[in-house]
């Protein structure tokens, strides 16, 4: 799919802020433009790391429940963000920025939680700012284990959209 110019996507993001029923289509377009197979928009509602999801695409609801009940404790991406000081507002990060790819593929999180769901890489953005910490939303995109990892162009595209997504979701919520 050819990527629409960012200005056009940004206009649609703000339209969705006023018409929440448009969010799935907007997030689907962003997902397709960065070559992701799935996404999850969730809140950081608890200190235990559990993530109440607001919107998802191509994520099994049973897996989401298993994450909330168990897998969050083993989430190497979250652990990497915390240990590297990257669990912070306004950042857009790839999975390889959070964990060493070679170590990651040997771990429990990858082999027992992600592989069965065909999730192999992550591109995520934190949708809050230091000046305005609430609501704390995280938008994560996932690629299939059969795909290449997210690259710099996808990271830059999501990063350019991140502040607009943050403002628009704040209006929606």
């Amino acid at each position: 799919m050819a990527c629409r110019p960012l200005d056009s996507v940004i206009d649609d993001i703000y339209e969705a802020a006023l018409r929440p029923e448009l969010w799935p289509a907007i997030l689907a377009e962003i997902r397709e433009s960065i070559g992701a197979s799935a996404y999850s928009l969730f809140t950081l509602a608890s200190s235990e790391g559990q993530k109440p999801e607001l919107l998802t695409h191509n994520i099994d609801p049973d897996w989401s429940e298993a994450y909330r009940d168990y897998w969050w404790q083993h989430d190497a991406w979250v652990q990497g963000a915390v240990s590297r000081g990257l669990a912070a507002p306004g950042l857009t990060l790839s999975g390889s920025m959070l964990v060493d790819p070679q170590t990651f593929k040997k771990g429990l999180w990858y082999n027992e939680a992600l592989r069965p769901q065909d999730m192999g890489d992550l591109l995520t953005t934190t949708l809050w700012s230091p000046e305005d910490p609430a609501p704390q939303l995280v938008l994560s995109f996932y690629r299939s284990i059969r795909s290449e990892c997210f690259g710099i162009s996808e990271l830059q595209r999501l990063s350019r959209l991140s502040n607009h997504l943050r403002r628009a979701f704040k209006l929606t919520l």
Side-chain angles (χ1 to χ4, degrees):
M1 172 182 181
C3 294
R4 281 193 306 145
L6 284 178
D7 288 345
S8 178
V9 176
I10 290 166
D11 289 345
D12 288 349
I13 287 170
Y14 288 111
E15 179 69 22
L18 302 174
R19 296 180 48 211
E21 70 274 10
L22 298 177
W23 277 118
I26 298 303
L27 294 178
E29 180 177 349
I30 295 169
R31 178 187 56 78
E32 290 173 12
S33 76
I34 62 173
S37 57
Y39 71 77
S40 176
L41 173 70
F42 55 92
T43 65
L44 297 180
S46 75
S47 60
E48 292 87 27
Q50 298 174 23
K51 57 177 196 174
E53 294 167 316
L54 303 173
L55 290 172
T56 64
H57 172 79
N58 205 22
I59 295 180
D60 183 340
D62 290 337
W63 187 86
S64 291
E65 185 176 336
Y67 183 93
R68 287 187 302 275
D69 291 344
Y70 175 75
W71 282 114
W72 64 269
Q73 302 170 73
H74 302 282
D75 188 330
W77 289 322
V78 170
Q79 293 168 1
V82 170
S83 70
R84 294 178 181 197
L86 298 172
L91 296 180
T92 301
L93 306 161
S94 66
S96 63
M97 297 166 93
L98 301 171
V99 293
D100 171 65
Q102 300 302 350
T103 304
F104 176 70
K105 290 194 174 185
K106 295 177 185 174
L108 178 75
W109 170 242
Y110 177 78
N111 286 293
E112 293 189 28
L114 298 176
R115 270 185 83 81
Q117 296 305 310
D118 192 28
M119 292 183 203
D121 196 23
L122 167 79
L123 185 60
T124 190
T125 189
T126 54
L127 300 176
W128 73 92
S129 69
E131 312 80 52
D132 187 15
Q136 290 190 348
L137 302 176
V138 178
L139 178 58
S140 294
F141 292 92
Y142 309 95
R143 273 202 173 154
S144 168
I145 59 174
R146 296 176 303 280
S147 299
E148 290 184 23
C149 292
F150 287 106
I152 191 70
S153 64
E154 295 93 359
L155 182 97
Q156 289 173 340
R157 184 169 182 85
L158 184 57
S159 182
R160 288 183 190 125
L161 295 172
S162 183
N163 282 334
H164 301 288
L165 288 163
R166 178 183 50 81
R167 287 184 201 111
F169 278 119
K170 185 175 179 185
L171 289 171
T172 296
L173 295 174

